[in-house]
Amino acid sequence: MLMAGLDGIQNRIDPGEPLDKDIYDLPPENSPRFRACRVSLDEALAALDTDHAFLLKGDVFSEKMIQRWINYKIDREINPVRMRPHPLEFSLYYDV
């Protein structure tokens, strides 16, 4: 997170005005437009695979290390979950 923050400072990315309201309580016509966060680990890893140049600055992380971490998360977390029914699926279809 620190490296992403430093990247924003170096590239002069405008974070926008501060917001002191609960965005979940605002009606849709009054809610500001936000870029949505990734909704799954799979999407987050795909985004990381596409854009991780900021992590390579200063030799903190290497390309090989980032790719190894992405592959590890896919092999050890994403694929095992995909291979099994979700508890809600189980209760919907198999619970009598």
Side-chain angles (χ1 to χ4, degrees), residues 8 19 21 24 27 29 32 34-35 39 44-46 64 68 73 82 92 94-96:
L19 184 66
K21 298 176 184 172
Y24 299 105
E29 61 273 0
F34 293 104
R35 285 182 26 192
V39 297
L45 290 174
K64 184 178 178 180
R68 182 173 287 169
K73 298 296 267 185
R82 284 183 181 154
L92 285 173
Y94 298 112
D95 194 21
V96 177

Side-chain angles (χ1 to χ4, degrees), residues 42 61 71 76 78 80 86:
D42 198 13
F61 297 104
N71 292 335
R76 299 292 175 103
I78 293 174
H86 187 276

Side-chain angles (χ1 to χ4, degrees), residues 78-90:
I78 293 174
N79 288 340
V81 169
R82 284 183 181 154
M83 294 171 50
R84 292 161 179 84
H86 187 276
L88 180 58
E89 290 176 307
F90 191 81

